Amino acid sequence: MVTLDERPQLIDALSALRDRVAAVRLPLPLPDTPRARQTRAELLAQLDDYLVPRLKDPDAPLLAVVGGSTGAGKSTLVNSLVGRRVSESGVLRPTTRTPVLVCHPEDHHWFAGMRVLPQLTRVWLPQADEDHPADEATPEENALRVETAASVPRGLALLDAPDIDSLVVENRLLAAELICAADIWVMVTTASRYADAVPWHLLRTAKEYDATLVTVLDRVPHQVIGEVSRQFEALLDKAGLGDVPRFTVPELPESADGGSGLLPDSAVAALRGWLAHRAEDPAARQQAADRTATGVIDSLDARLPELAAAVAAQYAAAGRLGGAVETAYGEQGKRVREQLGRGAVLAGDARTRWRGYPRDSTADELLDALTESLAALLHCAVSAAEERVRDAWRREPAADALGPLRTGGDRDTGERIGVEVRRWRRVLEELAEEEVRGVERPSTSRTAAPEADTVAALLAAALLGGRRTRAAGERLAELLGAQAALRLRDKGGELVLSYVDRVLHAERDRRLAPLEALDVTPEPQAELIAALSVLQKEK
Amino acid sequence: MADGRDHDRDRALDHQNPDRDRERWDDGLIARRASERAAATVAVGGDVRPGGGDLPEEDTLPPLGGSYGGPLRTRLDALHELVGLSRTRVESEALAEAGRVLDEAAARQRLSSRHTVIAIAGATGSGKSTLFNALAGVPVSETGLRRPTTSAPIALSWSEGAAGLLDRLAVPSRLRRRPLAGGAADTELQGLVLIDLPDHDSAVTAHRDQVDRVLGLVDAVIWVVDPEKYADAALHERYLRPLAGHAEVTFVVLNQIDRLGTEAADLVLDDLRRLLDEDGMALGEHGEPGATVLSVSALTGEGVSELREMVAGFVQERTAPERRLAADVDAAAARLRPAYLADGRPGLDERARDAFTDRLAAAVGAQAAGEAAERVWRRGAIRACGTPWLRLYRWYERLRAHGSTDPRLTSPVEEELTARQRVEQAVRAVADEASRGLPAPWAQAVREAATRGAEGLPEALDELTVTIGDPAARPPRPAWWPAAVLAQVVMTFLQIFGAVWLVGQIVGVVEPGLLPPVLVMLGGIVGGPLVEWACEGAVKGPARRYGQEAERRLREAAAACGRARVLDPVAAELMRYREVREQYATVAGARASARIVGGLRSGTSRLGATRAGVRGR
């Protein structure tokens, strides 16, 4: 049991946990990501808005949040409890768009600051007179109106939340967030709504968190008050919520007709009394606050692992995405090597040039054709890899976060590869030149000194042509001597492979870049679990 | 819809037929074929429409509504055809929905067209059953405070012959009721079958399942909302938004206005209209087709007679089943849209085809082959016209070198003459180009067609290279060639003659005279290279032509091969897609676009009204 005495270690553990939760990022759109994002937001909201402030300031006023379906009469109820129109009520749904917090004037400082609900900006309205509250100024996003009323008991604040089932999605989210910040959950339903599915979700959540809960059955026509409340009680019993305090408010013209007034005091006296008792009696207050706080801390045991699992799922998805890329490029790398060994580059133009060399084509032409053919081979490999990646990623919903995929005939890729292959050619030519310069002419040789470009072309043909160009190797040996030719071929072979790898790796890295930019790591999962276990020790 | 119209215009351009715009789908080749085929499938496809043997239904049953045989019929047929054409291409989920629509349409058509089935749906406690009873005039359905009250649909039919319809709704016979005196008193409601549904939002989820099931089968729906619940997310997000297309067969009734003052009731009704508008539901005001919105109090009877009149008018029109089906088809079409329409114009343009040809030509090495052919030819020509002495020397050279640098003599029989990677890349590029702007399933189909076609392509190209592209094949000779050879022979003869003459003089057989034989011999010696040189110049042009011709032949052969194996299947697939898209355009119909425009217009006016209302408040 958590007692609300000062517990620095517990607060430290919770703060650490909060930072871990805040650090969780869920960038990949997996099927359960929206849920995990919501879990994260709720956890943050509960830790920031409720748990940490509550534990830091056990003496702060209790916050009772009035929540319920649209049209359940929440605002009317709050107004009646306060005895003054603080929250706008009306027939048009949704009525309350900006949540209103009412507290005793002396408690005002607790809520004026950013102690609770720090993400909501405080709005103050000019004091309205009894009958005509100031029109709500431009409804601001993320605003919280703080009102004071002396009729509210000290140590208690009432918060009128938007509808939990509002058509306006932001309202729904805000309502959930506000309810999470409550010490006391006041669930308002009506005679025609008590069997609706949505309020029951809320009730079940309350039960799950073991929050201090009150239900108000509102707008019950006089003549059926007994039967309806009996049935509602039966439903609560069935849901295991039989011990929850229930209050029934009859439907009165005041609550129905355009918000012309407040409910008579007698209608809400019981509820007010109960709430006042929580606020004023230290034991009851302690119990109400403790129960909710304990419930929330206990619920972390289940919710944090869920978040951690989502983080793990993100990491796994990122791993799958990256793995698909690695596999595709790895396969293509293997295929390129195999093709090089087979001499696939020596086909088409290159083959014709080789066949015509040296009678019908020059060394330069042969080298050109081979270079181009090598570039085509690499472009084809990259395109095939991209296609594989595209197919694999299409099955991954997470890939949506990484932007559109290139198609096979991408021109930029071709240009990049072309640049790289031309660079290879230059290096090869330099290599050949060096070799030619350094070659010692045997005086007996009947041939003249070999030309550099001839050597380069023969070398390229020997390297890329596989078995078909054995003649090139022989000729090279003839020109340079067997030793030098072998050395040159070794160097050249390394050069080819290093450039092939360079091209494929560069393209692979380009493909992986957006994924790496998301920086999905497994650490947050471990950190979350670690922070949770620290918290469990402190409990 | 823009695509559909666009397409129409294309066809009009294709055929240069001015009538095309007026008669959209009745005279095009594809449309005609489609309707024939649809008729055939309908007649054969007993599995799709159970009991399809007794078709056409129009003969045995009175047609549903006046124009039922018209646009809706065409659209249903087109949808049928569409489902058949794309079963192997489009994933089944969206198609199953379309198939369901077809089944429902067939089922509804077989049943009574004199009846209109209207369901009353709404949240718990909105007063569905009370309104039901008010319309019936007798307490038929149990009303109560206990929530939820009604747990199974109850049917009330004003005239005989609705048993088949109720069987379809699976309403048990103990829940089938008749109004007072069998409903004979309400002549204007003859043909109405009213269904009271359970709630859709209570914690009892079985109710929701029942509502969902029945809502898919009825002809029209009366949504009952109350001042407390009219803005429920459960109602708007789960039902009204998805069913926005069914506006014409939707009534939205704000019940329990007795709980509000008159002014408040008007405000709420206005707000309800605004919400419906935001849901995308067209509102039937100013004579435009759309949902009917009105306020009643089932308890006090206020507004009930008005509702009754509207329902009566609606029932007597007898168009509800047709409108509902049309809306269903609209919804199915909207759901199928991503599978059939995408932005961009699909198809292979000339540029893509040329690029493909270029790539294939590069793969077989057409350019190099052409140049090689040119050079071989030129060399041959020069050799043929060269002086014999030079030829002798070259032959000797070659003999000495063992031909080691002539790969033709040493290279083994080669495989993979064509650059595989280039062919692969060419096919990939053309498939990408063709599938750009296609919806995903069809893009996939196009890619598959291209890949399948490319399977034997490199081997076929290899063959071509051997048969056509061999530069060593014996080239044709120009007409002047014999003359050149003759001249060269004459020159050689002159040399020999001069030499013989000179030798004769030396031996003394012939009269001495140094100058003539020397001149003859010199003439031969100078003339030989001269002829060779002249030939070399003259051969350039023909050689280039020959080379270009060789390149062109190889290129064209490769292109023809690629066209037959890849481009044609791809084009066929695209054609198939176009056909399907036309079917889709028929399914989507012209109505949809009109409806959208109308909806927008009414939407803006509605919003203005709401704003005014808010200001008034």
Side-chain angles (χ1 to χ4, degrees), chain A residues 329 333 336-337 378 382 416-417 419-424 426-427 494-510:
Chain A
Y329 275 95
V336 166
R337 273 159 201 267
L378 289 176
V382 169
R416 277 198 303 275
I417 292 171
V419 166
E420 217 36 53
V421 172
R422 278 196 294 282
R423 196 170 291 155
W424 165 79
R426 263 202 305 285
V427 175
E494 275 170 33
L495 202 63
V496 171
L497 290 186
S498 76
Y499 270 85
V500 164
D501 285 349
R502 219 156 101 176
V503 166
L504 290 178
H505 289 173
E507 292 301 319
R508 186 193 61 196
D509 292 346
R510 281 180 75 83

Short mmCIF file of all heavy atoms in Angstrom, two decimals, chain A residues 329 333 336-337 378 382 416-417 419-424 426-427 494-510:
data_model
loop_
_atom_site.label_atom_id
_atom_site.label_comp_id
_atom_site.label_asym_id
_atom_site.label_seq_id
_atom_site.Cartn_x
_atom_site.Cartn_y
_atom_site.Cartn_z
N TYR A 329 20.52 -7.14 -51.11
CA TYR A 329 21.79 -6.70 -51.66
C TYR A 329 22.86 -7.79 -51.54
O TYR A 329 23.73 -7.91 -52.41
CB TYR A 329 22.23 -5.40 -51.00
CG TYR A 329 21.61 -4.20 -51.66
CD1 TYR A 329 20.45 -3.64 -51.16
CD2 TYR A 329 22.15 -3.68 -52.82
CE1 TYR A 329 19.84 -2.56 -51.77
CE2 TYR A 329 21.56 -2.60 -53.45
CZ TYR A 329 20.40 -2.04 -52.92
OH TYR A 329 19.81 -0.99 -53.56
N GLY A 333 24.91 -9.20 -54.58
CA GLY A 333 26.37 -9.19 -54.56
C GLY A 333 26.92 -10.54 -54.98
O GLY A 333 27.84 -10.64 -55.80
N VAL A 336 26.37 -11.02 -58.67
CA VAL A 336 27.29 -10.25 -59.50
C VAL A 336 28.64 -10.96 -59.57
O VAL A 336 29.24 -11.08 -60.64
CB VAL A 336 27.44 -8.82 -58.94
CG1 VAL A 336 28.64 -8.13 -59.57
CG2 VAL A 336 26.19 -8.02 -59.21
N ARG A 337 29.11 -11.45 -58.44
CA ARG A 337 30.40 -12.15 -58.45
C ARG A 337 30.35 -13.37 -59.36
O ARG A 337 31.27 -13.63 -60.13
CB ARG A 337 30.75 -12.62 -57.04
CG ARG A 337 31.48 -11.56 -56.26
CD ARG A 337 31.37 -11.82 -54.78
NE ARG A 337 31.62 -10.60 -54.04
CZ ARG A 337 32.82 -10.25 -53.59
NH1 ARG A 337 33.85 -11.05 -53.77
NH2 ARG A 337 32.99 -9.13 -52.96
N LEU A 378 25.90 -3.84 -63.03
CA LEU A 378 25.70 -3.36 -61.67
C LEU A 378 24.33 -2.70 -61.52
O LEU A 378 23.64 -2.89 -60.51
CB LEU A 378 26.80 -2.36 -61.29
CG LEU A 378 28.17 -3.02 -61.09
CD1 LEU A 378 29.23 -1.97 -60.83
CD2 LEU A 378 28.11 -4.00 -59.94
N VAL A 382 21.49 -3.73 -58.88
CA VAL A 382 20.87 -2.80 -57.91
C VAL A 382 19.36 -2.76 -58.11
O VAL A 382 18.60 -2.79 -57.14
CB VAL A 382 21.50 -1.40 -58.07
CG1 VAL A 382 20.70 -0.38 -57.29
CG2 VAL A 382 22.93 -1.41 -57.59
N ARG A 416 24.83 7.35 -60.83
CA ARG A 416 25.80 7.12 -59.74
C ARG A 416 26.70 5.93 -60.06
O ARG A 416 27.91 5.98 -59.88
CB ARG A 416 25.05 6.86 -58.44
CG ARG A 416 24.61 8.11 -57.71
CD ARG A 416 24.28 7.78 -56.28
NE ARG A 416 23.25 6.75 -56.18
CZ ARG A 416 21.96 6.99 -56.22
NH1 ARG A 416 21.52 8.21 -56.36
NH2 ARG A 416 21.08 6.02 -56.14
N ILE A 417 26.08 4.87 -60.58
CA ILE A 417 26.86 3.68 -60.91
C ILE A 417 27.83 3.99 -62.03
O ILE A 417 29.00 3.58 -62.00
CB ILE A 417 25.91 2.52 -61.29
CG1 ILE A 417 25.13 2.10 -60.05
CG2 ILE A 417 26.69 1.36 -61.85
CD1 ILE A 417 24.03 1.12 -60.32
N VAL A 419 29.24 6.80 -62.74
CA VAL A 419 30.38 7.56 -62.20
C VAL A 419 31.37 6.62 -61.54
O VAL A 419 32.59 6.69 -61.78
CB VAL A 419 29.86 8.60 -61.18
CG1 VAL A 419 31.03 9.16 -60.37
CG2 VAL A 419 29.12 9.71 -61.89
N GLU A 420 30.85 5.72 -60.75
CA GLU A 420 31.70 4.81 -60.00
C GLU A 420 32.49 3.90 -60.95
O GLU A 420 33.69 3.69 -60.77
CB GLU A 420 30.78 3.99 -59.10
CG GLU A 420 31.23 3.61 -57.71
CD GLU A 420 32.06 4.65 -57.00
OE1 GLU A 420 31.65 5.83 -56.88
OE2 GLU A 420 33.13 4.25 -56.54
N VAL A 421 31.82 3.41 -61.99
CA VAL A 421 32.49 2.49 -62.92
C VAL A 421 33.53 3.23 -63.75
O VAL A 421 34.61 2.71 -64.03
CB VAL A 421 31.44 1.80 -63.82
CG1 VAL A 421 32.12 1.00 -64.90
CG2 VAL A 421 30.57 0.89 -62.98
N ARG A 422 33.25 4.46 -64.09
CA ARG A 422 34.25 5.24 -64.85
C ARG A 422 35.48 5.49 -63.98
O ARG A 422 36.61 5.49 -64.46
CB ARG A 422 33.65 6.56 -65.32
CG ARG A 422 32.84 6.39 -66.60
CD ARG A 422 32.58 7.72 -67.27
NE ARG A 422 31.71 8.58 -66.47
CZ ARG A 422 30.39 8.44 -66.39
NH1 ARG A 422 29.79 7.47 -67.06
NH2 ARG A 422 29.66 9.24 -65.67
N ARG A 423 35.20 5.69 -62.70
CA ARG A 423 36.33 5.87 -61.79
C ARG A 423 37.19 4.60 -61.79
O ARG A 423 38.41 4.66 -61.83
CB ARG A 423 35.80 6.15 -60.39
CG ARG A 423 36.84 6.73 -59.48
CD ARG A 423 36.22 7.21 -58.19
NE ARG A 423 35.38 8.38 -58.37
CZ ARG A 423 34.38 8.70 -57.56
NH1 ARG A 423 34.08 7.90 -56.55
NH2 ARG A 423 33.67 9.78 -57.77
N TRP A 424 36.53 3.47 -61.76
CA TRP A 424 37.24 2.19 -61.80
C TRP A 424 38.11 2.10 -63.05
O TRP A 424 39.25 1.69 -63.01
CB TRP A 424 36.22 1.05 -61.78
CG TRP A 424 36.79 -0.27 -62.16
CD1 TRP A 424 37.53 -1.10 -61.38
CD2 TRP A 424 36.69 -0.91 -63.44
NE1 TRP A 424 37.90 -2.20 -62.08
CE2 TRP A 424 37.40 -2.11 -63.35
CE3 TRP A 424 36.09 -0.57 -64.65
CZ2 TRP A 424 37.51 -3.00 -64.42
CZ3 TRP A 424 36.19 -1.43 -65.72
CH2 TRP A 424 36.89 -2.64 -65.60
N ARG A 426 39.38 4.53 -64.79
CA ARG A 426 40.55 5.40 -64.70
C ARG A 426 41.66 4.75 -63.87
O ARG A 426 42.82 4.74 -64.25
CB ARG A 426 40.16 6.75 -64.10
CG ARG A 426 39.88 7.82 -65.14
CD ARG A 426 40.04 9.19 -64.53
NE ARG A 426 39.22 9.40 -63.36
CZ ARG A 426 37.91 9.60 -63.40
NH1 ARG A 426 37.26 9.59 -64.56
NH2 ARG A 426 37.24 9.80 -62.30
N VAL A 427 41.24 4.19 -62.76
CA VAL A 427 42.23 3.55 -61.89
C VAL A 427 42.90 2.40 -62.63
O VAL A 427 44.12 2.21 -62.56
CB VAL A 427 41.55 3.05 -60.60
CG1 VAL A 427 42.53 2.27 -59.75
CG2 VAL A 427 41.01 4.22 -59.82
N GLU A 494 41.26 -7.53 -57.73
CA GLU A 494 40.88 -6.91 -56.46
C GLU A 494 40.13 -5.60 -56.71
O GLU A 494 39.14 -5.30 -56.04
CB GLU A 494 42.13 -6.61 -55.63
CG GLU A 494 42.58 -7.79 -54.80
CD GLU A 494 43.95 -7.52 -54.19
OE1 GLU A 494 44.24 -6.35 -53.87
OE2 GLU A 494 44.72 -8.48 -54.06
N LEU A 495 40.65 -4.87 -57.67
CA LEU A 495 40.06 -3.57 -57.98
C LEU A 495 38.60 -3.74 -58.41
O LEU A 495 37.69 -3.04 -57.93
CB LEU A 495 40.86 -2.94 -59.11
CG LEU A 495 40.76 -1.44 -59.25
CD1 LEU A 495 41.30 -0.78 -58.02
CD2 LEU A 495 41.52 -0.99 -60.49
N VAL A 496 38.36 -4.71 -59.28
CA VAL A 496 36.99 -4.94 -59.75
C VAL A 496 36.08 -5.25 -58.58
O VAL A 496 35.03 -4.63 -58.38
CB VAL A 496 36.94 -6.09 -60.77
CG1 VAL A 496 35.50 -6.46 -61.08
CG2 VAL A 496 37.66 -5.72 -62.04
N LEU A 497 36.53 -6.21 -57.76
CA LEU A 497 35.67 -6.62 -56.66
C LEU A 497 35.43 -5.47 -55.69
O LEU A 497 34.32 -5.28 -55.19
CB LEU A 497 36.29 -7.81 -55.93
CG LEU A 497 36.27 -9.10 -56.74
CD1 LEU A 497 36.77 -10.25 -55.91
CD2 LEU A 497 34.87 -9.40 -57.25
N SER A 498 36.46 -4.69 -55.43
CA SER A 498 36.27 -3.61 -54.46
C SER A 498 35.30 -2.57 -55.01
O SER A 498 34.48 -2.04 -54.28
CB SER A 498 37.61 -2.98 -54.08
OG SER A 498 38.05 -2.14 -55.12
N TYR A 499 35.37 -2.32 -56.31
CA TYR A 499 34.43 -1.34 -56.85
C TYR A 499 33.01 -1.88 -56.89
O TYR A 499 32.06 -1.16 -56.64
CB TYR A 499 34.89 -0.86 -58.23
CG TYR A 499 35.78 0.34 -58.12
CD1 TYR A 499 37.13 0.21 -57.89
CD2 TYR A 499 35.24 1.63 -58.17
CE1 TYR A 499 37.94 1.31 -57.73
CE2 TYR A 499 36.04 2.73 -58.00
CZ TYR A 499 37.39 2.58 -57.79
OH TYR A 499 38.18 3.67 -57.63
N VAL A 500 32.89 -3.16 -57.21
CA VAL A 500 31.54 -3.76 -57.20
C VAL A 500 30.94 -3.65 -55.81
O VAL A 500 29.80 -3.20 -55.62
CB VAL A 500 31.62 -5.23 -57.64
CG1 VAL A 500 30.34 -5.96 -57.28
CG2 VAL A 500 31.88 -5.32 -59.13
N ASP A 501 31.75 -4.01 -54.80
CA ASP A 501 31.26 -3.92 -53.44
C ASP A 501 30.91 -2.48 -53.08
O ASP A 501 29.91 -2.23 -52.41
CB ASP A 501 32.31 -4.45 -52.46
CG ASP A 501 32.37 -5.96 -52.50
OD1 ASP A 501 31.44 -6.54 -53.11
OD2 ASP A 501 33.31 -6.55 -51.96
N ARG A 502 31.77 -1.58 -53.54
CA ARG A 502 31.54 -0.19 -53.20
C ARG A 502 30.20 0.28 -53.73
O ARG A 502 29.41 0.91 -53.02
CB ARG A 502 32.64 0.66 -53.81
CG ARG A 502 33.07 1.75 -52.89
CD ARG A 502 34.46 2.16 -53.22
NE ARG A 502 34.44 3.39 -53.99
CZ ARG A 502 35.55 4.03 -54.35
NH1 ARG A 502 36.72 3.51 -54.03
NH2 ARG A 502 35.49 5.14 -55.03
N VAL A 503 29.94 -0.05 -54.99
CA VAL A 503 28.67 0.37 -55.60
C VAL A 503 27.50 -0.23 -54.84
O VAL A 503 26.56 0.47 -54.43
CB VAL A 503 28.63 -0.05 -57.08
CG1 VAL A 503 27.21 0.06 -57.61
CG2 VAL A 503 29.58 0.78 -57.90
N LEU A 504 27.56 -1.54 -54.60
CA LEU A 504 26.41 -2.20 -53.96
C LEU A 504 26.23 -1.69 -52.53
O LEU A 504 25.11 -1.45 -52.09
CB LEU A 504 26.61 -3.71 -53.96
CG LEU A 504 26.49 -4.36 -55.34
CD1 LEU A 504 26.74 -5.85 -55.25
CD2 LEU A 504 25.12 -4.11 -55.95
N HIS A 505 27.32 -1.51 -51.82
CA HIS A 505 27.20 -1.03 -50.45
C HIS A 505 26.64 0.38 -50.41
O HIS A 505 25.82 0.71 -49.55
CB HIS A 505 28.55 -1.10 -49.74
CG HIS A 505 28.95 -2.50 -49.45
ND1 HIS A 505 30.17 -2.85 -48.95
CD2 HIS A 505 28.29 -3.66 -49.61
CE1 HIS A 505 30.24 -4.16 -48.81
NE2 HIS A 505 29.09 -4.67 -49.22
N ALA A 506 27.12 1.20 -51.34
CA ALA A 506 26.62 2.58 -51.35
C ALA A 506 25.12 2.59 -51.57
O ALA A 506 24.37 3.28 -50.88
CB ALA A 506 27.33 3.38 -52.44
N GLU A 507 24.65 1.77 -52.52
CA GLU A 507 23.21 1.75 -52.81
C GLU A 507 22.44 1.18 -51.63
O GLU A 507 21.36 1.65 -51.29
CB GLU A 507 22.92 0.94 -54.07
CG GLU A 507 23.43 1.58 -55.33
CD GLU A 507 22.83 2.95 -55.56
OE1 GLU A 507 21.62 3.10 -55.33
OE2 GLU A 507 23.57 3.87 -55.96
N ARG A 508 23.01 0.15 -51.01
CA ARG A 508 22.34 -0.45 -49.86
C ARG A 508 22.23 0.58 -48.74
O ARG A 508 21.19 0.72 -48.11
CB ARG A 508 23.14 -1.65 -49.37
CG ARG A 508 22.47 -2.42 -48.28
CD ARG A 508 23.42 -3.38 -47.63
NE ARG A 508 24.53 -2.66 -47.02
CZ ARG A 508 25.67 -3.22 -46.64
NH1 ARG A 508 25.87 -4.50 -46.84
NH2 ARG A 508 26.63 -2.50 -46.09
N ASP A 509 23.31 1.33 -48.52
CA ASP A 509 23.28 2.31 -47.45
C ASP A 509 22.27 3.41 -47.74
O ASP A 509 21.61 3.93 -46.84
CB ASP A 509 24.67 2.91 -47.23
CG ASP A 509 25.60 1.85 -46.66
OD1 ASP A 509 25.09 0.81 -46.22
OD2 ASP A 509 26.83 2.06 -46.68
N ARG A 510 22.18 3.76 -49.02
CA ARG A 510 21.16 4.76 -49.38
C ARG A 510 19.78 4.26 -49.02
O ARG A 510 18.93 5.01 -48.54
CB ARG A 510 21.20 5.05 -50.88
CG ARG A 510 22.30 5.94 -51.31
CD ARG A 510 22.21 6.13 -52.80
NE ARG A 510 21.13 7.03 -53.16
CZ ARG A 510 21.25 8.34 -53.15
NH1 ARG A 510 22.38 8.90 -52.82
NH2 ARG A 510 20.23 9.10 -53.48
#
